[in-house]
């Protein structure tokens, strides 16, 4: 049985990574209704795995500011809560929606809670990681601290494409191709600059 699961997981992963763009994927929204990402064709997307009790949670404010600035120009932020990192996205999806609305007045699309690494990872994330692997945590105190934390758990973490923590961001262009990846320790100014460029193209 375990062998069969491993084979099926491998097949699904290969199928996901073979896609040229993200439009073939289907995800679930906050009401557990299926959403075909085809609906976002022609838009610039920022896909983020979020958490409500993380040191990076205040990035919701900057994400909303970014959304307000560019949404009329065909920009969307897709918010995927994930509880895999320090169990920092507890509660139901309704709890998460309430938290985000009350604390950060978020208006961008919220999707169902997912896993981004491992056997149960969302196929969309399998694809994203295959197109934009891990490069660097960037510079600064937060990056240094996170690097030390990750090394304790896995000395070879930097050689793997896995999502390292909450608020990792993938930028997808208007053709549905993943063109950049930003770790949570990287400046939101870098993210904003890349978004502005993608929206203008």
């Amino acid at each position: 049985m375990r062998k069969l699961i491993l084979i099926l997981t491998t097949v699904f992963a290969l199928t996901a990574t073979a896609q040229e763009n993200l439009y073939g994927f289907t995800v679930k929204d906050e009401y557990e209704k299926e959403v075909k990402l085809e609906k976002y064709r022609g838009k610039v997307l920022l896909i983020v795995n979020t958490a409500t009790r993380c040191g990076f949670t205040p990035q919701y404010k900057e994400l909303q500011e970014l959304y307000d600035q560019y949404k009329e120009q065909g920009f969307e932020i897709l918010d995927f809560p994930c509880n895999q990192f320090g169990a920092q996205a507890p509660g139901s999806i309704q709890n998460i929606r309430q938290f985000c609305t009350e604390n950060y007045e978020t208006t961008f699309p919220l999707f169902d809670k997912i896993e981004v690494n491992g056997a149960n990872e969302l196929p969309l994330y399998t694809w994203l990681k295959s197109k934009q692997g891990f490069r660097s945590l960037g510079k600064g105190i937060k990056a240094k601290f996170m690097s030390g934390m990750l090394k304790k758990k896995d000395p070879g973490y930097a050689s793997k494409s896995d999502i390292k923590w909450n608020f990792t961001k993938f930028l997808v262009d208007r053709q549905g191709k993943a063109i950049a990846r930003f770790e949570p320790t990287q400046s939101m100014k870098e993210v904003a600059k890349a978004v502005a460029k993608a929206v203008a193209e």
Side-chain angles (χ1 to χ4, degrees):
M1 185 65 179
R2 185 177 293 179
K3 189 175 182 181
L4 177 60
I5 292 173
L6 180 62
I7 291 172
L8 289 174
T9 301
T10 303
V11 170
F12 290 145
L14 289 172
T15 301
T17 57
Q19 296 198 48
E20 289 186 13
N21 58 51
L22 92 169
Y23 301 131
F25 293 101
T26 299
V27 297
K28 289 185 178 180
D29 67 13
E30 61 181 302
Y31 306 106
E32 296 189 358
K33 292 182 179 179
E34 291 194 344
V35 177
K36 293 182 178 180
L37 294 184
E38 169 69 31
K39 72 174 287 185
Y40 295 107
R41 183 178 289 274
K43 293 194 173 187
V44 173
L45 307 176
L46 191 66
I47 300 174
V48 191
N49 64 295
T50 60
T52 53
R53 296 185 182 178
C54 177
F56 296 106
T57 298
Q59 288 188 7
Y60 265 124
K61 180 178 184 293
E62 293 166 291
L63 288 170
Q64 182 61 42
E65 289 172 351
L66 201 58
Y67 186 57
D68 288 339
Q69 185 174 359
Y70 294 109
K71 64 182 178 181
E72 298 301 326
Q73 298 175 51
F75 173 63
E76 290 286 350
I77 295 176
L78 309 188
D79 178 354
F80 289 92
C82 176
N83 200 39
Q84 282 189 289
F85 306 100
Q88 294 177 346
S92 68
I93 196 68
Q94 290 78 23
N95 295 146
I96 291 170
R97 165 58 76 190
Q98 183 177 5
F99 173 88
C100 293
T101 302
E102 291 181 355
N103 292 278
Y104 298 102
E105 300 182 344
T106 58
T107 58
F108 43 81
L110 175 66
F111 293 84
D112 201 10
K113 288 172 75 169
I114 63 165
E115 292 188 9
V116 296
N117 293 328
N120 298 315
E121 69 186 39
L122 190 71
L124 170 63
Y125 267 82
T126 304
W127 180 80
L128 288 168
K129 292 185 292 183
S130 74
K131 302 304 179 185
Q132 291 293 329
F134 175 76
R135 292 183 178 82
S136 168
L137 291 170
K139 299 178 180 179
I141 296 174
K142 290 182 180 179
K144 188 175 181 180
F145 174 81
M146 179 160 284
S147 179
M149 180 184 73
L150 293 172
K151 280 181 180 177
K152 287 181 181 179
K153 294 182 178 180
D154 180 7
Y157 82 88
S159 65
K160 300 171 184 176
S161 65
D162 283 357
I163 304 302
K164 309 307 179 193
W165 206 254
N166 308 307
F167 288 88
T168 300
K169 306 162 195 71
F170 289 91
L171 183 61
V172 177
D173 68 12
R174 295 187 190 276
Q175 287 72 50
K177 296 183 178 181
I179 58 173
R181 170 174 170 166
F182 301 93
E183 304 306 319
T185 46
Q186 290 179 266
S187 169
M188 281 298 295
K189 289 182 180 179
E190 291 182 53
V191 179
K193 185 177 179 181
V195 168
K197 182 179 178 182
V199 167
E201 290 178 346

